[in-house]
Amino acid sequence: PAALPAAPLGFTDVNLNSRNTYEVSRRRSAPEHLPHGGGTAPAAPAPPPQEPPERARHRLGIAGAGSSFAEFFTRNFFTKRTKELKPAVQSAPGWKLFGKVPPRENLPKDSKIIQQEYEARTGRMYKPPAPSARRKNIEFEPLSTTALILEDRPANLPAKSVEEALRHRQEYDEMVAEAKKREIKEAHKRKKIMRERFKQEENIASAMVIWVNEILPNWEGMRATRRVRELWWQGLPPSVRGKVWSLAVGNELNITPELYEIFLSRAKERWKSFSETSSENDTEDAGASVADREASLELIKLDISRTFPSLYIFQKGGPYHDLLHSVLGAYTCYRPDVGYVQGMSFIAAVLILNLEEADAFIAFANLLNKPCQLAFFRVDHSMMLKYFAAFEVFFEENLPKLFLHFKSYSLTPDIYLIDWIFTLYSKSLPLDLACRVWDVFCRDGEEFLFRTGLGILRLYEDILLQMDFIHIAQFLTKLPEDITSEKLFSCIAAIQMQNSNKKWAQVFASLMKDNKEGDKNHSPVPKN
């Protein structure tokens, strides 16, 4: 009996006209024996201890039902309204020109009914092709959406006519044939490249054995033999390239690894002084030569980041950044009369990729001590003009038509040769091809640098003959990246470095002799 009044209490919590959800929730959370008014009411007498209210409610089944009804009404009337789920309607999606529209509520017509309506309206009878003959004997299908042209239209659209289906079939067959032809051509090209690469790797492996076991142990006796020169022309194996370069360049300056460490420590001291102070008085007291050296050391930092930027190994944070910085800084302190010149970083970088640090510095210093490199890096204009004049002699001998074309535009060799000689083609050519040029350059000397230039002009002669001054200069400044070693070296081999039975050295010596005689006969009267 004490549990019976609890049933209406659950219903009194619900106020259908109220919108205050906070009041409703407060009332729901209040004890059930409190009155509605929210005021303080006298406590009701305790229920008999013999039976708890919960057990009485469970026994009678009244108050529990009332509480569940109260929660149901409270949740539905006062909580946030949820979106009612509609039953899924089985309807086909609509179609438009470039995609689907939302599904239609009404059921679509049957495809047979649509077909009958279309035939009745047009008076045409259409028999679709058999499914088995639709894509029969197709060995290759391109990975694209071109096959959609063979698909039937959706059921709610008019079916294809016989003529349209045949036309689509023909168009698809043509697309498949073209794609198959293109794929076969690319497959043959890839197969040819892989075959050539495999053959090249075999030649390199066999040549490496010969170089390691036969040539290098007997270097002085075999370096000038015909067999070694032929192997040299074919390219040095990468594993022995650095060693052969060091032996071919030599060490006329007698530089030791200890000497390299001495000049490297000097360079580090200079860099440290740059970071600690920027006083101009210290630079003035140090003398002119040291000031030039300091300027060169600062220029190195700016130029290293532009060395082989596509490799990302010489830039700041790269594995060879500090190494390249050290070699160039040590050389600047070793040869303050030369200092650092833009283009040196490419030569030092190629040597670092093939030699250890100290060996790279030794080869770098001796290489730049050669007459041609020394003339260019010291910007000896008279010597540079002699090299350009000698180049033009063989240019006219080998490529007379292109030579006249260049002359008609007054295009002189210095416009394109300076960049090639300063970097030894390491900036202008792909790195692997530049290394092969270096191989033969170490064998033949400075003559091969100019012979390589003539080979490049011969390779692109037909293209250059169609260009004017601006386009020729732009083309030769930035050569195509798809140039291959086979094509270039075949053109280089076709260049004859003889003029009237005179070789490169004889032609250059005669130009030097003429220059000396001209200096003796030169009049002291100033020119206008």
Side-chain angles (χ1 to χ4, degrees):
L4 290 176
L9 285 176
F11 288 100
T12 55
D13 286 343
V14 181
N15 185 5
L16 299 180
N17 296 324
S18 173
R19 295 294 180 182
N20 193 340
T21 57
Y22 172 77
E23 181 67 21
V24 173
S25 61
R26 186 181 64 80
R27 292 179 180 179
R28 288 182 59 194
S29 61
E32 294 184 358
H33 60 271
L34 294 178
H36 291 297
T40 304
Q50 64 271 11
E51 186 176 11
E54 291 81 8
R55 184 177 301 177
R57 292 171 183 171
H58 178 70
R59 179 172 55 82
L60 297 175
I62 300 174
S67 176
S68 63
F69 281 131
E71 292 178 357
F72 172 79
F73 282 112
T74 304
R75 182 175 64 251
N76 282 275
F77 279 102
F78 298 104
T79 58
K80 185 179 292 186
R81 185 176 182 182
T82 58
K83 190 174 182 180
E84 296 182 359
L85 298 177
K86 295 182 180 181
V89 181
Q90 299 295 333
S91 61
W95 288 82
K96 60 179 181 178
L97 184 58
F98 294 105
K100 295 181 179 181
V101 297
R104 299 178 180 177
E105 296 297 333
N106 56 338
L107 295 177
K109 296 181 180 180
D110 190 9
S111 59
K112 293 183 179 180
I113 298 176
I114 297 175
Q115 181 70 20
Q116 292 174 0
E117 292 178 355
Y118 174 73
E119 292 177 355
R121 185 169 63 254
T122 59
R124 296 181 180 180
M125 297 295 293
Y126 171 68
K127 294 182 179 181
S132 59
R134 189 172 173 184
R135 295 190 185 182
K136 190 176 181 181
N137 296 329
I138 298 179
E139 299 177 358
F140 171 80
E141 290 188 8
L143 297 177
S144 65
T145 58
T146 54
L148 292 176
I149 198 173
L150 296 179
E151 300 293 340
D152 293 333
R153 291 196 181 97
N156 56 346
L157 293 178
K160 296 180 182 179
S161 63
V162 178
E163 295 82 2
E164 188 178 9
L166 292 176
R167 187 177 71 254
H168 288 176
R169 179 72 211 188
Q170 183 179 1
E171 292 176 359
Y172 177 74
D173 290 340
E174 292 175 356
M175 287 187 288
V176 169
E178 289 294 330
K180 185 176 181 180
K181 188 186 301 183
R182 185 167 56 252
E183 182 70 19
I184 292 174
K185 185 178 180 180
E186 293 177 356
H188 284 310
K189 185 178 180 180
R190 289 194 298 268
K191 188 175 180 180
K192 183 180 178 181
I193 293 174
M194 292 300 296
R195 186 167 55 249
E196 292 177 353
R197 185 176 300 175
F198 182 72
K199 183 180 179 181
Q200 184 180 5
E201 291 177 355
E202 285 185 339
N203 295 336
I204 290 174
S206 60
M208 182 187 65
V209 175
I210 298 174
W211 279 98
V212 172
N213 297 331
E214 300 180 22
I215 301 175
L216 291 179
N218 307 297
W219 173 254
E220 294 298 334
M222 296 188 65
R223 63 176 299 179
T225 60
R226 183 175 181 180
R227 180 191 178 195
V228 172
R229 291 181 64 85
E230 289 178 355
L231 285 174
W232 215 329
W233 176 268
Q234 295 173 5
L236 297 173
S239 57
V240 301
R241 174 168 281 153
K243 181 66 175 178
V244 175
W245 285 0
S246 297
L247 292 173
V249 172
N251 189 11
E252 296 179 353
L253 300 175
N254 296 321
I255 301 176
T256 60
E258 293 76 15
L259 188 63
Y260 166 67
E261 293 295 335
I262 292 173
F263 286 107
L264 177 59
S265 62
R266 290 186 185 179
K268 290 181 179 179
E269 291 176 0
R270 290 294 176 187
W271 289 323
K272 185 178 180 180
S273 65
F274 293 158
S275 60
E276 290 178 354
T277 178
S278 60
S279 175
E280 297 180 358
N281 295 329
D282 296 340
T283 304
E284 293 175 359
D285 295 339
S289 61
V290 177
D292 294 339
R293 186 189 309 170
E294 290 176 351
S296 297
L297 290 174
E298 285 298 308
L299 183 59
I300 291 173
K301 297 180 181 180
L302 300 175
D303 210 23
I304 285 180
S305 61
R306 296 176 290 209
T307 304
F308 295 118
S310 60
L311 298 181
Y312 301 104
I313 58 177
F314 295 105
Q315 284 63 41
K316 190 173 184 179
Y320 291 105
H321 174 268
D322 295 338
L323 190 58
L324 180 59
H325 198 258
S326 299
V327 171
L328 294 174
Y331 179 79
T332 304
C333 292
Y334 173 69
R335 291 297 300 267
D337 59 322
V338 179
Y340 175 78
V341 182
Q342 288 185 342
M344 287 183 178
S345 61
F346 283 90
I347 299 177
V350 174
L351 292 172
I352 287 172
L353 291 175
N354 293 275
L355 291 166
E356 297 295 332
E357 181 177 355
D359 295 332
F361 174 79
I362 295 171
F364 180 72
N366 283 275
L367 186 61
L368 297 191
N369 199 49
K370 301 295 182 182
C372 181
Q373 279 65 48
L374 200 59
F376 275 81
F377 283 112
R378 296 184 72 172
V379 196
D380 189 342
H381 293 284
S382 60
M383 287 293 294
M384 292 171 66
L385 291 176
K386 302 300 178 296
Y387 281 108
F388 294 150
F391 174 80
E392 286 191 310
V393 170
F394 294 96
F395 188 5
E396 185 179 9
E397 181 74 20
N398 288 273
L399 304 169
K401 192 174 180 180
L402 186 61
F403 176 79
L404 294 176
H405 183 67
F406 279 24
K407 281 292 183 181
S408 64
Y409 287 108
S410 300
L411 199 148
T412 54
D414 59 287
I415 294 177
Y416 51 92
L417 269 184
I418 286 181
D419 191 47
W420 294 353
I421 302 300
F422 263 102
T423 61
L424 299 181
Y425 296 96
S426 57
K427 181 182 177 182
S428 305
L429 297 176
L431 184 57
D432 56 342
L433 181 53
C435 288
R436 189 172 173 186
V437 171
W438 278 47
D439 293 342
V440 189
F441 162 64
C442 293
R443 186 195 75 172
D444 296 345
E446 62 187 31
E447 172 187 338
F448 189 74
L449 295 178
F450 299 93
R451 189 180 180 187
T452 301
L454 293 174
I456 293 174
L457 296 179
R458 181 183 179 89
L459 178 61
Y460 297 108
E461 181 179 10
D462 295 337
I463 299 176
L464 295 172
L465 287 173
Q466 308 298 324
M467 295 182 178
D468 56 6
F469 180 92
I470 298 297
H471 291 90
I472 291 174
Q474 292 176 347
F475 183 87
L476 296 179
T477 302
K478 185 174 177 58
L479 296 172
E481 297 180 357
D482 59 349
I483 183 173
T484 61
S485 59
E486 290 76 12
K487 293 181 179 179
L488 177 59
F489 271 79
S490 62
C491 292
I492 294 174
I495 299 297
Q496 299 296 324
M497 298 300 287
Q498 283 189 351
N499 177 262
S500 301
N501 296 327
K502 289 183 179 181
K503 296 183 178 181
W504 169 268
Q506 295 172 332
V507 171
F508 186 76
S510 63
L511 290 172
M512 292 293 294
K513 184 179 178 181
D514 295 341
N515 183 60
K516 290 180 180 179
E517 291 178 356
D519 292 339
K520 291 179 181 180
N521 299 328
H522 180 67
S523 175
V525 178
K527 297 181 180 180
N528 293 329

